[in-house]
Amino acid sequence: MSYSSYIALIPILPLAGFVLLGLFGRKYLKNASGIIGTGLLLVAAVLALYTAYHYFFVDGKVGDQYQSITAFKFTWLSFSDNVSIDMGIVLDPISVMMLVVVTFVSLMVHIFSLGYMKGEERFSTYYAFLGLFTFSMLGLVVSGNLFQVYMFWELVGVSSYLLIGYYYDKPSAVAASKKAFIVTRFADLGFLIGILVLAYYGGTLDIGTLIQKLTQQQSAEFLAISTASLFGVSALSWGLCLVFMGGAGKSAMFPLHIWLPDAMEGPTPVSALIHAATMVVAGVYLVARLFPLFTLTQASLTVVTYVGLVSALIAAVIACTQTDIKRVLAYSTMSQIGYMMFALGVSGYGGENGLGYTASMFHLFTHAFFKSLLFLCAGAVIHLVHSNEMKDMGGLRKFMPVTNICFLIACLAIAGVPPLAGFFSKEEILLAAYNSNKLVYGEALFTSGLTAFYMFRLYFSIFWNKQKDFHHHNDHGEGTMSMKIPLIILALCSAGAGFIHFGEFVSSDGKALESQFDPVFSAAPVLFGLAGIMLAWVMYKRETAKPQKVAASLGGLYRAAYHKFYIDEVYLFFTKKIIFNLIGRPAAWIDRNVVDGLVNASANITADISAMIKGLQSGKVQAYALYFFGGIVTLAVVFLYWWK
């Protein structure tokens, strides 16, 4: 069976779910909406797994290198013989990997939501939105040209807006959805300009062709884009940095991260899907997709490195102070995405130089499992206690044994404790940083210790600490089997995914990359992780005054971290005081007095002229005939005069 015979079904099936449930769900299919949406995703996931098997083990490799395969393609718009926009599906190691990740995690969310969202009035609408988002993300990861990437990029933003604002009668959810949409649109403007710069000099929107042209050092396209400059920076660096701006916005990188914590206002399963495994890694995927171009200029890689590094550290510090469990996980996501970003930044291209690239993709893969598991476990907890605050939790291991074990596995994985999945991918990132930049390695190592601390701060606060009164919440316990099964499956993946020889399948140049386990190098990260766990054990396993004492001793630093370093306040000041007052108000005055004034003036002049000439309309045929013949005589005289 060829790819073309079925590959289009993978994104089309969730789209079909969106259309079917969106049109008929609320009236005819309300009770069956969850089953229909989940069934369609199950088929898509099976097809994605089959595609991965077929690509990696049957026909994806030619010689010793995995190839890019155009499985499906058609011309969407044709402007001339040489200029057209094609749509299609491109398979290569990272797109195939993302097909598996997106469909699998989406399937787990669909199954979990059968129990979590049961009884919701807009149950069918919820599953319709899930289908739209999954379709958008799948379309993004298999795109073969930049126009298609941008189109699905924006559709991902629209569908995430719908999911974040699902509870539209809740003001905070509405505000969060608008905030996410506006912030990412600002970043996407840079992305669009970057695409236009690259396409202008490269002469094509096709990603493969663009990379081929610009990576040939003597090509006319490369010489043109590398010699053209603005403020001493080449057009290539400008284009790539602007493209990265779009990725940084979608992946919630500093300073465009402010939308991510607020986006937790959506249903918790949505957080697992959008903000753990799919949407937020889109920026990482974008940089990886264009990675051969990023390696052409050190300036762009430096930007990627330090934006990722700063994001990882700042988010980890903030996560140590938050009390809302979903916000802790949100900042954890930001920190882990930062890891993936700086891993790409310190990477080279080809062979062992590309370790950072492989490590980044490996961490993206493992992170999808344990972070979605953490969010779904958090959803189960919230479902029981009806609160997001850690102060309302404690001793839940007795009420939620399955959730307790699954959450613990996910915490151990993200903390980098061997032999769980996060250990292997994080070790490769740290090794790549160590080989490239010792400063980056040192900060990343410290951040890994903070990660272990805040995750086990969360774990002990929820499942240990002082037991609260939960007798009035015990009507549903841990939830239905549909909520437990995804947790167990994701826990198994979080435990075992690290044993995959990932470098054999995904590398910067398509060739197998062998990675060797070094217990000596691993000692430092493991010790930092264990130190963070022990510190959390001492402070949060039992209810004591130690956390308050530590917070008081840190003083302003703790308050700044708790208030997210006042970055939101800076944005509000900038938007309200500067943009609104200095730009918005003058623009509004010009609109009211100049634009509207000109329109109103033209209307008044037209009315005055109409009043002046309406007297000529007497309704008498004799008068009209007189005017007609008078005009003929006048024209005749003028004609004869000029004829002479």
Side-chain angles (χ1 to χ4, degrees):
M1 184 185 292
S2 65
Y3 292 114
S4 59
S5 62
Y6 72 88
I7 193 71
L9 287 174
I10 298 176
I12 286 177
L13 285 171
L15 176 63
F18 165 69
V19 174
L20 182 63
L21 299 179
L23 293 176
F24 309 108
R26 297 189 70 176
K27 189 173 183 179
Y28 302 107
L29 304 171
K30 184 176 182 180
N31 296 329
S33 296
I35 300 298
I36 293 173
T38 304
L40 291 171
L41 250 296
L42 176 61
V43 177
V46 170
L47 291 176
L49 288 171
Y50 176 78
T51 300
Y53 167 78
H54 205 257
Y55 178 84
F56 286 120
F57 298 103
V58 179
D59 63 358
K61 182 178 285 189
V62 178
D64 63 344
Q65 188 174 11
Y66 284 105
Q67 305 295 310
S68 177
I69 299 174
T70 301
F72 180 78
K73 185 177 180 180
F74 68 94
T75 299
W76 184 44
L77 294 174
S78 181
F79 303 101
S80 68
D81 293 338
N82 299 320
V83 181
S84 63
I85 296 177
D86 298 326
M87 304 288 284
I89 295 176
V90 174
L91 300 179
D92 61 11
I94 60 171
S95 67
V96 173
M97 176 201 70
M98 288 299 296
L99 278 178
V100 174
V101 168
V102 173
T103 54
F104 181 79
V105 174
S106 182
L107 177 62
M108 295 297 103
V109 170
H110 275 71
I111 296 172
F112 185 87
S113 298
L114 291 173
Y116 189 88
M117 300 298 290
K118 185 179 180 180
E120 287 282 343
E121 183 180 355
R122 300 170 66 233
F123 187 68
S124 59
T125 303
Y126 171 81
Y127 272 94
F129 289 168
L130 284 184
L132 177 63
F133 177 84
T134 306
F135 162 72
S136 306
M137 197 66 206
L138 290 172
L140 170 62
V141 301
V142 298
S143 296
N145 67 80
L146 290 174
F147 181 85
Q148 185 179 342
V149 168
Y150 186 77
M151 186 176 72
F152 280 102
W153 189 272
E154 294 300 322
L155 194 56
V156 166
V158 172
S159 54
S160 66
Y161 168 83
L162 296 173
L163 284 169
I164 296 169
Y166 173 77
Y167 298 117
Y168 64 90
D169 54 347
K170 188 179 176 183
S172 58
V174 174
S177 62
K178 291 192 292 185
K179 186 176 183 179
F181 190 80
I182 292 171
V183 173
T184 53
R185 292 296 74 69
F186 174 77
D188 292 349
L189 175 61
F191 182 29
L192 178 59
I193 296 172
I195 289 176
L196 295 176
V197 170
L198 295 177
Y200 175 79
Y201 286 100
T204 180
L205 288 166
D206 184 80
I207 295 175
T209 307
L210 183 69
I211 292 174
Q212 184 181 15
K213 287 183 176 181
L214 296 184
T215 52
Q216 295 178 0
Q217 300 286 319
Q218 300 303 317
S219 68
E221 291 83 2
F222 174 78
L223 293 174
I225 198 171
S226 59
T227 54
S229 64
L230 180 65
F231 303 119
V233 180
S234 70
L236 178 60
S237 295
W238 275 113
L240 292 173
C241 287
L242 286 168
V243 167
F244 174 68
M245 178 180 174
K250 202 72 90 189
S251 291
M253 293 288 93
F254 176 87
L256 299 172
H257 66 281
I258 59 172
W259 66 269
L260 185 64
D262 293 326
M264 299 300 111
E265 291 290 342
T268 304
V270 168
S271 301
L273 179 62
I274 298 180
H275 309 112
T278 52
M279 176 179 167
V280 292
V281 300
V284 180
Y285 177 82
L286 178 65
V287 175
R289 169 63 67 202
L290 299 175
F291 189 70
L293 299 182
F294 277 88
T295 59
L296 296 175
T297 165
Q298 187 58 44
S300 59
L301 285 180
T302 301
V303 171
V304 173
T305 299
Y306 286 100
V307 168
L309 190 64
V310 171
S311 300
L313 180 60
I314 287 179
V317 173
I318 295 175
C320 293
T321 65
Q322 300 302 298
T323 58
D324 184 313
I325 63 173
K326 290 178 68 175
R327 288 182 178 267
V328 173
L329 295 178
Y331 281 107
S332 171
T333 297
M334 176 183 168
S335 183
Q336 297 303 303
I337 300 298
Y339 260 87
M340 302 173 202
M341 280 295 190
F342 78 69
L344 289 171
V346 300
S347 182
Y349 183 81
E352 294 184 357
N353 292 328
L355 175 62
Y357 177 96
T358 298
S360 177
M361 295 298 99
F362 193 15
H363 199 56
L364 187 157
F365 182 74
T366 60
H367 177 265
F369 301 126
F370 56 71
K371 183 53 62 70
S372 56
L373 175 58
L374 286 167
F375 269 108
L376 293 184
C377 286
V381 170
I382 295 169
H383 197 243
L384 176 68
V385 303
H386 305 295
S387 173
N388 291 18
E389 292 293 327
M390 286 189 282
K391 64 179 178 61
D392 299 321
M393 304 167 189
L396 283 181
R397 68 188 186 281
K398 300 177 182 179
F399 298 92
M400 312 180 76
V402 175
T403 307
N404 172 44
I405 295 173
C406 292
F407 199 92
L408 177 60
I409 291 172
C411 287
L412 291 170
I414 196 173
V417 175
L420 300 176
F423 165 75
F424 296 98
S425 57
K426 189 173 287 188
E427 292 303 286
E428 289 190 1
I429 290 177
L430 292 172
L431 180 59
Y434 182 83
N435 293 336
S436 176
N437 190 318
K438 298 298 188 296
L439 175 64
V440 174
Y441 167 75
E443 188 172 330
L445 188 62
F446 176 71
T447 304
S448 70
L450 288 179
T451 301
F453 169 74
Y454 69 68
M455 286 310 307
F456 276 87
R457 167 181 176 261
L458 185 62
Y459 171 72
F460 290 128
S461 297
I462 296 173
F463 296 100
W464 291 78
N465 211 290
K466 184 180 180 180
Q467 182 178 318
K468 305 300 191 295
D469 182 14
F470 298 110
H471 68 275
H472 55 291
H473 299 310
N474 289 340
D475 54 330
H476 48 65
E478 283 192 282
T480 63
M481 285 301 297
S482 66
M483 294 174 62
K484 295 177 184 177
I485 290 175
L487 302 186
I488 296 170
I489 295 174
L490 288 169
L492 293 174
C493 293
S494 300
F499 292 97
I500 297 174
H501 296 289
F502 197 80
E504 294 184 7
F505 306 105
V506 179
S507 63
S508 60
D509 58 358
K511 299 179 180 179
L513 177 63
E514 294 290 337
S515 56
Q516 301 293 328
F517 174 66
D518 186 350
V520 177
F521 178 83
S522 300
V526 171
L527 288 174
F528 266 79
L530 292 176
I533 294 172
M534 292 304 300
L535 182 59
W537 172 286
V538 171
M539 294 181 63
Y540 295 98
K541 186 174 182 291
R542 293 182 177 86
E543 189 174 41
T544 66
K546 293 177 182 177
Q548 290 79 13
K549 291 180 179 179
V550 172
S553 65
L554 294 174
L557 177 61
Y558 180 87
R559 288 192 298 273
Y562 180 77
H563 291 286
K564 300 165 284 188
F565 294 106
Y566 304 100
I567 297 173
D568 282 79
E569 286 76 7
V570 171
Y571 270 97
L572 285 173
F573 174 81
F574 182 78
T575 54
K576 289 187 175 182
K577 300 296 185 181
I578 297 179
I579 295 180
F580 182 76
N581 288 336
L582 297 184
I583 300 176
R585 288 184 182 276
W589 185 90
I590 293 172
D591 181 63
R592 288 193 303 269
N593 295 278
V594 178
V595 178
D596 290 352
L598 290 173
V599 173
N600 293 334
S602 64
N604 292 332
I605 293 172
T606 303
D608 293 340
I609 295 174
S610 300
M612 293 172 59
I613 64 175
K614 69 180 182 180
L616 299 175
Q617 305 297 320
S618 62
K620 297 179 179 181
V621 177
Q622 298 90 336
Y624 296 159
L626 181 63
Y627 299 152
F628 176 76
F629 286 112
I632 293 177
V633 171
T634 303
L635 290 173
V637 171
V638 172
F639 177 78
L640 292 173
Y641 175 79
W642 285 106
W643 180 261
K644 293 180 181 181

